[in-house]
Amino acid sequence: MDFKIIFDNDNSKYGSIIELDFTEEFKNFDINVKETESHDKTESVLYQSHLREYLTPYKGSDLDLFANKHLNLDLFAKVYNSIDLPAQKRITGYWPWQNFGFESIDKFVNKYFNHGVSFIKDNAGFYMGVHTDNRLVVGNAIINLTDNADSTKFYYSVQEPHNIVYEAPKERGKGVFFLNNEETAHSILVSKTRHVAMWNMSMTIIK
């Protein structure tokens, strides 16, 4: 997996948005969205639109194996360890894991965060306006499972919905990781069916 930091280090968004490239990993897996089945989530809190379908890969399929190997809780630490110190400081500014006595970010993540992966088919017309996610969400990654016509757009702020500052990759095997903060307002408008994997990391709620 390759990483690319978006924006210069004097930009307030530096370290909050990072391109991901799984092209080489995709060569080792025959990723095929046909090896999935659609399931209904209209009764779920995840329901967003009748134009969004949630897919479940067949157990043991290449998509299932790829997700288990690469789209797990370790993804956050891999991103963190791959970027330079200024970008790392952006993350530790929100999540100062060293202050809690942890030897590595991996151990901090395993204690306080959890993750989930959704495989999604968005049909033409699906739309989510400019927003940031709820504050339980730490970060997200969106990976293209096919070559897609549309991708997530990022904005200067929620208050400036016409000021697009970055558009994520559309090519199969590529995607984007982003922290959930005020610097990562984003939206999606789908003009043609797209297939993506969505990785999400959130805070573990301690009762």
Side-chain angles (χ1 to χ4, degrees), residues 82-152:
S82 73
I83 57 180
D84 61 15
L85 185 59
Q88 288 181 347
K89 286 183 177 179
R90 172 53 56 89
I91 293 177
T92 55
Y94 290 99
W95 308 105
W97 55 272
Q98 302 100 324
N99 295 354
F100 295 93
F102 288 90
E103 297 177 356
S104 68
I105 193 170
D106 311 62
K107 294 181 179 179
F108 174 76
V109 167
N110 286 330
K111 183 172 178 63
Y112 290 112
F113 299 153
N114 54 45
H115 87 290
V117 181
S118 296
F119 303 94
I120 290 173
K121 175 185 177 183
D122 285 330
N123 296 290
F126 178 81
Y127 173 70
M128 292 185 71
V130 182
H131 68 284
T132 56
D133 298 320
N134 72 73
R135 288 309 181 191
L136 285 179
V137 177
V138 176
N140 299 283
I142 303 173
I143 312 299
N144 297 305
L145 299 178
T146 57
D147 289 325
N148 292 314
D150 309 287
S151 65
T152 301

Side-chain angles (χ1 to χ4, degrees), residues 71 73 114-118 198-202:
L71 301 182
L73 198 56
N114 54 45
H115 87 290
V117 181
S118 296
M198 289 191 177
W199 174 95
N200 166 278
M201 189 171 74
S202 58

Side-chain angles (χ1 to χ4, degrees), residues 44-90:
S44 167
V45 294
L46 293 177
Y47 176 70
Q48 293 162 320
S49 168
H50 68 283
L51 295 173
R52 167 162 284 184
E53 299 177 41
Y54 289 85
L55 309 174
T56 300
Y58 297 136
K59 188 173 179 60
S61 67
D62 279 77
L63 179 55
D64 180 49
L65 296 174
F66 169 81
N68 288 333
K69 184 174 181 178
H70 296 289
L71 301 182
N72 50 43
L73 198 56
D74 294 337
L75 179 60
F76 184 72
K78 288 178 180 178
V79 170
Y80 178 87
N81 291 326
S82 73
I83 57 180
D84 61 15
L85 185 59
Q88 288 181 347
K89 286 183 177 179
R90 172 53 56 89

